[in-house]
Amino acid sequence: MTTDPGRQDAEPGHGSRGSSGLCQIVPREGEPPCPNRASRKQPRLWCDEHHSQWNDLNLKYKEAGNDAERYRLQLRQAEAWRRVEQYSKEEVTKILALREEYAKAMSEELEGRVECCRRFYGPPDAGHAKRIENIERNLAKNNDKLKELRARRDADVGREAEAQARKEREDIWKVQNQEQEATERRRRAQADTAAVAAAAAEQRRAAENARRRTEERAQQEALAAAEEANRAQRLARASETEPLISRTARSGPAASPQQPPLLFQAVPRPARTGPAPSLPYDSIYSRTPNIDVESLQEGLHHTRTTNSGSESFLDFLKPLLLVLCSVSDGSISTRAVG
């Protein structure tokens, strides 16, 4: 049987109840004394029931004291005489857990010792009083350490929360920056696409303008070629009619060497007799040529036989000669030409 330190065992028969052989348990407030007889087991004269209670309580607080001593040694090794500010985050967590277990063990030991003294011994003796005082002093120191450790833990948590909030703000900023960059890239891509489209449209306009200029130059060249062909045809026709003009000129009066031979000769104005014509006299005779039809016929026949390519020109002259003959007043022959 384990005995309490600092407590001398009472002799059997000590006190009035001991001499009577009754259980010497200290009753609680309002509780009557135990009427059972003592079993005379050491270290006190209690009944069997209360002796079993004393034994259980004694074992319980002694076990709590052993746990407290084990935690104290672990704390000495973990703290290594350092200040709380020197602990790492992991060390703070570990030492805080040990300090909490240390406080729990000391509280259980303190409560068990106080209850054991009050229930089974009455006021504690010097040994129990000193032990209880040491436990209370160690509890106070441990509570101060717990406050420091919890403050350090809260500071770490606050810093972590601030760091997390800062990281979240940075993440939000990064996301916003990425969205802005994506928007800017899309805008630049759209601008580049528009510029490419504008350049392509400008190239198409330039190509269209070049094509129109090329077509205009081709048309101008075609017109110039057609004009040149017409001029060549006119020159060819003039060269074809040159023999006719020469023969017509030879059939009339001799032409001056400075003047080209004339196809038509003016008719001398005869003296007017009889009634006045329906048209003014001057207008009729000043505009009526003296046409040598025979010479003209010979020239036309010569032209037809020498150059068959002038048929179109001769066909053009025939109706003209017929008209001239129809307006004549008889001064020229009206025979059919050709």
Side-chain angles (χ1 to χ4, degrees):
M1 184 67 64
T2 305
T3 60
D4 294 330
R7 170 68 67 178
Q8 294 180 356
D9 296 336
E11 294 294 333
H14 178 74
S16 60
R17 290 183 62 82
S19 59
S20 63
L22 295 177
C23 179
Q24 298 180 21
I25 189 71
V26 179
R28 295 185 178 90
E29 184 178 358
E31 180 184 7
C34 180
N36 298 326
R37 294 187 63 81
S39 61
R40 297 191 178 274
K41 294 180 180 180
Q42 295 297 329
R44 280 283 182 172
L45 297 177
W46 300 305
C47 66
D48 292 339
E49 180 182 358
H50 288 109
H51 190 277
S52 178
Q53 291 179 3
W54 171 84
N55 190 47
D56 294 340
L57 185 59
N58 187 66
L59 292 175
K60 184 177 181 181
Y61 76 71
K62 286 184 177 292
E63 184 179 358
N66 294 332
D67 292 340
E69 182 66 16
R70 186 175 66 255
Y71 290 135
R72 186 181 66 82
L73 295 176
Q74 292 179 4
L75 285 170
R76 179 181 295 179
Q77 182 179 1
E79 292 175 349
W81 308 102
R82 293 178 299 166
R83 296 189 302 272
V84 175
E85 294 79 7
Q86 297 175 334
Y87 301 158
S88 64
K89 178 183 175 182
E90 292 76 13
E91 288 176 338
V92 168
T93 303
K94 178 181 178 180
I95 294 174
L96 181 59
L98 287 175
R99 285 284 178 184
E100 290 175 347
E101 293 295 331
Y102 182 42
K104 182 179 178 182
M106 286 192 297
S107 298
E108 290 180 357
E109 182 184 5
L110 179 62
E111 292 175 359
R113 285 187 178 275
V114 170
E115 176 65 18
C116 185
C117 290
R118 189 198 64 79
R119 183 65 169 166
F120 297 99
Y121 301 113
D125 57 9
H128 279 81
K130 185 177 181 180
R131 178 61 180 168
I132 290 172
E133 183 181 355
N134 289 335
I135 294 174
E136 289 176 347
R137 185 171 55 252
N138 290 334
L139 269 175
K141 292 180 179 179
N142 189 68
N143 289 333
D144 294 338
K145 285 288 186 178
L146 283 174
K147 291 179 181 178
E148 294 180 7
L149 290 168
R150 287 166 181 163
R152 167 66 189 278
R153 180 194 61 186
D154 295 341
D156 292 341
V157 171
R159 283 191 295 270
E160 290 178 356
E162 179 62 25
Q164 181 66 24
R166 183 169 57 253
K167 183 178 182 301
E168 291 177 357
R169 290 194 298 270
E170 291 176 355
D171 293 340
I172 293 173
W173 179 82
K174 288 180 181 179
V175 171
Q176 293 176 351
N177 190 30
Q178 291 175 357
E179 291 178 354
Q180 292 177 358
E181 290 178 354
T183 302
E184 182 65 18
R185 286 195 297 270
R186 288 193 297 269
R187 187 191 64 79
R188 291 179 180 177
Q190 292 175 357
D192 294 341
T193 302
V196 171
E202 183 64 24
Q203 291 179 355
R204 289 193 297 270
R205 285 194 296 271
E208 182 65 20
N209 293 334
R211 185 186 63 79
R212 285 199 298 268
R213 287 193 296 269
T214 302
E215 291 179 354
E216 289 175 358
R217 284 197 300 269
Q219 292 177 358
Q220 292 175 359
E221 292 175 357
L223 291 175
E227 184 65 23
E228 183 67 22
N230 291 334
R231 191 177 66 82
Q233 289 180 2
R234 288 195 299 271
L235 292 177
R237 290 172 182 172
S239 63
E240 290 175 357
T241 57
E242 185 177 357
L244 175 61
I245 296 173
S246 299
R247 293 190 54 131
T248 305
R250 285 195 304 270
S251 65
S256 173
Q258 290 81 12
Q259 297 179 351
L262 298 177
L263 181 62
F264 306 106
Q265 295 182 358
V267 179
R269 180 181 300 176
R272 184 172 59 185
T273 60
S278 60
L279 293 176
Y281 180 79
D282 296 337
S283 63
I284 295 174
Y285 287 95
S286 62
R287 297 171 183 171
T288 304
N290 184 15
I291 301 173
D292 188 353
V293 180
E294 294 180 356
S295 298
L296 182 59
Q297 181 179 1
E298 292 178 0
L300 293 175
H301 178 72
H302 177 73
T303 301
R304 183 185 298 112
T305 56
T306 57
N307 191 351
S308 61
S310 61
E311 291 293 335
S312 60
F313 179 69
L314 296 177
D315 294 337
F316 168 75
L317 289 179
K318 286 179 181 181
L320 178 60
L321 294 177
L322 293 175
V323 171
L324 292 176
C325 293
S326 64
V327 299
S328 177
D329 58 352
S331 61
I332 62 176
S333 174
T334 58
R335 288 183 301 170
V337 179

